[in-house]
Amino acid sequence: MWKAFAAGAAAAGIGCLLRSEYEKNHFVVEETVVSSTKIQREKRFVFLTDVHDKEFGPGNEKLLKAVAEAEPDGILIGGDLMVSKGNGDLSASFRLMEGLAKLGPVFYSLGNHEMRLGLERETYGGKYEELMKRAEELGITMLVDRTAPFSEDVWITGVDLHPSFYKKLFLERPVRMPEHYLEDKLGTCEKSRFQILLIHSPLYLKECAGWGADLSLCGHFHGGTVQIPGLGGLMTPQYQFFLPWCAGTFEEQGKKMIVGRGVGTHSINIRFNDKPQILVIRLTPEKGSGGRPA
């Protein structure tokens, strides 16, 4: 009996590992619509987060083909293109950046891995400066605590969160965001325009809405690693369990936050019921707003 149970458990474990390997190598393209009276004409964005050096085919050709087929007006990167471990190799990130820059305007906000390149210079040398220089050469807009206009009706902001916001639960709880933290870093939100905020961690929906972001885009949680029907994501990279906002769309004070499942993995190299995601976001005029459809 015990042998049969052990054999069954081993077979189930092997099956789960094989399924995880399959999922890690097969992304999905998903679309969501956000409407607002501030939007004058429809716009399409592709949102990528937590790539972590993952490549689908040589030079990430499959991912780039999927982005191109979405015909985006702009491409938004939510941080963690690379894995800042070892020597902090940026070659895969640069290949992806080069490919994306050919497909449309790219806006790139930093995650905790890019931040680590800048903070731990004894380990990574000039990798942070190398990243910034290459982005400038490619015409990529780096949003490090700043705002860039995309169009007359849409502005995009990126915030670089302090390392304390990424602490692991078993070591020390992530800090609460001080009341005026976003305003101190970013200035006052221009509320007459549709404001997109790229903020890597999804833990601060209330604060993002309070600042005035109409749409906050996040990642960091990798979809919870394992998606359990009815329960959501199992575990975040900060070792928080069953958080309800590991992936999906959430709302606070009439403002929305979309948490992407990300593209790659790193230390916890597992995905189960949690395929890599390329997210297409359609911004549309809300009915009765007087906006002009494209």
Side-chain angles (χ1 to χ4, degrees), residues 37-283:
T37 57
K38 298 178 183 180
I39 302 298
Q40 298 176 12
R41 293 180 181 273
E42 181 174 316
K43 298 168 182 65
R44 294 170 65 88
F45 291 95
V46 165
F47 176 55
L48 298 172
T49 187
D50 299 281
V51 177
H52 290 305
D53 294 330
K54 178 63 179 176
E55 292 188 288
F56 297 88
N60 233 328
E61 61 183 8
K62 294 179 183 178
L63 186 148
L64 290 169
K65 182 175 183 289
V67 173
E69 289 175 349
E71 299 182 338
D73 299 299
I75 299 163
L76 309 176
I77 299 176
D80 285 6
L81 275 194
M82 72 293 298
V83 178
S84 56
K85 293 185 177 181
N87 64 358
D89 182 22
L90 297 178
S91 56
S93 296
F94 287 170
R95 286 192 291 270
L96 181 56
M97 290 163 62
E98 289 161 7
L100 292 173
K102 297 174 182 177
L103 301 178
V106 180
F107 299 81
Y108 184 167
S109 180
L110 307 186
N112 53 301
H113 281 253
E114 287 93 352
M115 176 196 67
R116 194 176 296 134
L117 294 177
L119 292 176
E120 299 179 15
R121 283 180 167 80
E122 289 185 5
T123 301
Y124 300 111
K127 293 290 185 180
Y128 181 85
E129 289 76 15
E130 190 179 340
L131 173 67
M132 293 296 173
K133 180 182 178 182
R134 188 64 186 130
E136 181 180 3
E137 292 170 348
L138 292 170
I140 292 174
T141 301
M142 299 299 288
L143 297 176
V144 184
D145 295 334
R146 76 183 187 94
T147 298
F150 177 78
S151 60
E152 182 182 345
D153 53 341
V154 175
W155 284 11
I156 305 171
T157 299
V159 61
D160 189 15
L161 293 175
H162 188 272
S164 59
F165 293 107
Y166 296 110
K167 289 180 178 178
K168 289 182 168 50
L169 181 64
F170 292 157
L171 301 177
E172 187 176 355
R173 289 183 181 274
V175 300
R176 292 177 177 267
M177 184 175 283
E179 184 177 357
H180 299 292
Y181 181 83
L182 292 177
E183 191 169 75
D184 291 342
K185 296 204 84 175
L186 305 173
T188 303
C189 179
E190 175 49 74
K191 297 180 181 179
S192 66
R193 295 174 171 85
F194 188 88
Q195 177 68 67
I196 297 174
L197 176 62
L198 300 175
I199 177 169
H200 192 60
S201 173
L203 290 176
Y204 306 101
L205 169 57
K206 183 177 180 180
E207 291 80 0
C208 293
W211 178 70
D214 296 288
L215 175 62
S216 300
L217 298 177
C218 314
H220 187 49
F221 285 172
H222 302 177
T225 307
V226 176
Q227 280 281 324
I228 302 175
L231 293 176
L234 172 64
M235 180 178 68
T236 78
Q238 292 175 249
Y239 303 121
Q240 299 143 314
F241 294 89
F242 298 112
L243 286 182
W245 45 87
C246 283
T249 301
F250 308 90
E251 190 166 327
E252 173 79 22
Q253 302 173 36
K255 311 293 186 182
K256 292 186 183 296
M257 172 179 280
I258 298 176
V259 184
R261 297 197 305 272
V263 174
T265 61
H266 55 98
S267 301
I268 304 170
N269 197 20
I270 296 171
R271 280 186 177 271
F272 193 82
N273 199 27
D274 180 37
K275 281 187 177 180
Q277 179 193 54
I278 297 173
L279 185 60
V280 179
I281 301 170
R282 289 175 51 211
L283 300 184

